[in-house]
């Protein structure tokens, strides 16, 4: 099968097969040509693409998508960098609220493949809002605890696309 996604200026196609494209069954051939046709078509209407990925394992939007387990996970390189940065902030115990905002927003993006991890954030938002324009500040206990929780949950930021999908769409307004 061919799995695809579109997100603003990223388009990806994951060909789920163990064979190279030229040796793949006919239904897998031409994925690169299809991706290029999509890129050209979007470009013709003024929608340029930042990145197009086609293959058996791709990295897109800070996540890795791999066919061996049909999983989506936070890209390991980006995750380890974020974990190091978070750990450094925790060891220092002091930083700018804007720095916390950058770290938290990156965590939130990487947590999108395992959305239950988003539940760790609460106090950090008030800290950021209240101190956004301030200088270096000591981190309150609650903010440190939330950063520590995100750090510990980092290794679990993955999801399987083999799990059954809900036939029901839910909207909260």
């Amino acid at each position: 099968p061919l799995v695809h996604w579109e997100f603003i200026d990223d388009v990806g196609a994951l060909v789920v097969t163990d064979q190279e494209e030229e040796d793949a069954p006919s239904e897998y051939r031409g994925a690169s040509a299809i991706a290029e046709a999509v890129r050209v078509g979007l470009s013709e209407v003024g929608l340029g693409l930042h990145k197009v990925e086609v293959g058996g394992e791709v990295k897109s939007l800070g996540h890795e998508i791999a066919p061996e387990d049909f999983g989506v996970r936070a890209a390991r390189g980006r995750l380890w960098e974020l974990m190091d940065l978070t750990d450094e902030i925790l060891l220092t115990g002091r930083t700018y609220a804007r720095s916390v905002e950058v770290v938290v927003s990156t965590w939130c993006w990487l947590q999108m493949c395992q959305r239950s991890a988003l539940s760790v954030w609460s106090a950090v938002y008030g800290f950021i809002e209240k101190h956004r324009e301030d200088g270096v500040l000591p981190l309150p206990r609650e903010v440190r605890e939330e950063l520590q929780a995100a750090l510990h949950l980092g290794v679990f930021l993955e999801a399987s696309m083999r799990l059954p999908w809900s036939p029901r769409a839910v909207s909260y307004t």
Side-chain angles (χ1 to χ4, degrees):
L2 176 69
V3 178
H4 67 90
W5 63 92
E6 304 83 26
F7 181 81
I8 304 173
D9 59 355
D10 284 61
V11 172
L14 176 67
V15 179
V16 184
T17 179
D18 294 331
Q19 300 165 319
E20 295 298 322
E21 187 171 335
E22 59 272 1
D23 299 326
S26 60
E27 63 266 23
Y28 296 131
R29 289 188 207 129
S32 296
I34 292 169
E36 179 61 15
V38 168
R39 187 195 65 74
V40 168
L42 290 172
S43 179
E44 287 175 355
V45 296
L47 298 172
L49 291 177
H50 163 69
K51 183 175 171 184
V52 177
E53 291 243 5
V54 176
E57 181 172 319
V58 296
K59 291 182 183 177
S60 183
L61 305 168
H63 293 83
E64 299 169 344
I65 304 160
E68 70 271 0
D69 59 357
F70 216 47
V72 178
R73 65 188 55 85
R76 293 302 180 218
R78 180 171 283 185
L79 178 60
W80 299 137
E81 289 172 358
L82 181 60
M83 292 174 88
D84 282 345
L85 179 57
T86 304
D87 193 43
E88 184 65 29
I89 289 172
L90 288 167
L91 287 171
T92 304
R94 303 172 55 82
T95 192
Y96 294 93
R98 286 188 180 264
S99 297
V100 174
E101 183 175 31
V102 169
V103 167
V104 170
S105 64
T106 305
W107 273 113
C108 287
W109 181 252
L110 294 182
Q111 290 171 331
M112 294 304 283
C113 65
Q114 189 56 259
R115 292 180 184 212
S116 57
L118 291 166
S119 66
V120 303
W121 306 116
S122 179
V124 73
Y125 296 123
F127 173 77
I128 292 166
E129 185 176 336
K130 182 177 180 182
H131 299 290
R132 181 175 277 122
E133 303 303 325
D134 296 345
V136 175
L137 297 167
L139 295 175
R141 180 186 52 81
E142 296 85 1
V143 172
R144 289 192 319 269
E145 288 173 351
E146 290 175 11
L147 289 168
Q148 190 72 49
L151 191 61
H152 288 296
L153 290 171
V155 296
F156 299 107
L157 299 183
E158 58 183 74
S160 172
M161 291 189 288
R162 292 192 190 279
L163 296 174
W165 290 71
S166 173
R168 186 172 294 147
V170 179
S171 173
Y172 297 98
T173 56

